[in-house]
Amino acid sequence: MARKRPSLAQRVLAAPTLLYRAGLGWLMTERYLMIEHTGRRTGLTRRTIVECLQKTPEGGVIVASALGTKGAWFINITDSGKARIHHGRRRYDATVKVVPPHEKAAPLTAFSAAHPTAARLYARRFRAAGEPGTTTLADYPDQVVLVEFRPGRG
């Protein structure tokens, strides 16, 4: 049976992953990164492109999980405690830390200040009906799930 050809939308959405796999992730700028992780059920390598909220002084990064604790990549990396990060020209094995509530304010505030339009768009997921459209991610620290990737296997 012949394989169905991917739609234009599927090809466009796959483009960032293909860039990273070809060693051209730096074209995506430092704002985005690729998480390479192992599927908890299949054992297959999975790849997910996410936005970098903040770089850490230790050389790691902090990202937000768009689907909270329900995202497949989030479940996979918290289950294994490790991932491989492709960020710009850097590639490194990383340990995983879910950022505790008392440490969320600084990265969310910094991202909201640096990228106000993106922060407002992302905040739409958490806004209640009638809430002003000027809220940003920094206004929802209890609802946003942040993950820190630290270089090394710990």
Side-chain angles (χ1 to χ4, degrees):
M1 179 187 288
R3 286 183 58 138
K4 184 179 171 188
R5 186 177 167 153
S7 69
L8 177 62
Q10 289 171 320
R11 285 183 276 167
V12 168
L13 292 172
T17 302
L18 296 173
L19 285 173
Y20 278 101
R21 291 181 74 181
L24 300 172
W26 55 271
L27 291 172
M28 294 290 295
T29 76
E30 293 269 321
R31 190 163 167 189
Y32 299 93
L33 60 105
M34 181 173 74
I35 305 167
E36 198 171 85
H37 50 97
T38 304
R40 65 196 174 286
R41 292 189 194 138
T42 64
L44 298 174
T45 300
R46 304 292 185 198
R47 294 168 185 89
T48 305
I49 307 296
V50 295
E51 189 164 8
C52 176
L53 263 62
Q54 183 178 53
K55 292 182 188 179
T56 65
E58 300 81 24
V61 292
I62 296 176
V63 303
S65 175
L67 299 176
T69 59
K70 292 179 172 64
W73 72 264
F74 179 84
I75 296 167
N76 287 339
I77 58 113
T78 53
D79 186 51
S80 71
K82 60 186 178 183
R84 182 149 178 85
I85 302 301
H86 301 252
H87 190 210
R89 295 186 188 271
R90 288 184 64 212
R91 294 179 184 191
Y92 58 91
D93 292 326
T95 56
V96 175
K97 173 190 167 195
V98 177
V99 178
H102 65 278
E103 294 178 17
K104 290 181 185 179
L108 290 173
T109 301
F111 179 79
S112 295
H115 307 287
T117 303
R120 281 193 305 276
L121 287 172
Y122 295 148
R124 287 189 308 184
R125 181 176 196 278
F126 306 109
R127 268 188 220 124
E131 205 171 344
T134 55
T135 59
T136 69
L137 277 181
D139 298 317
Y140 303 96
D142 295 336
Q143 294 167 286
V144 178
V145 175
L146 298 183
V147 179
E148 180 181 350
F149 294 98
R150 296 176 176 177
R153 292 260 185 218

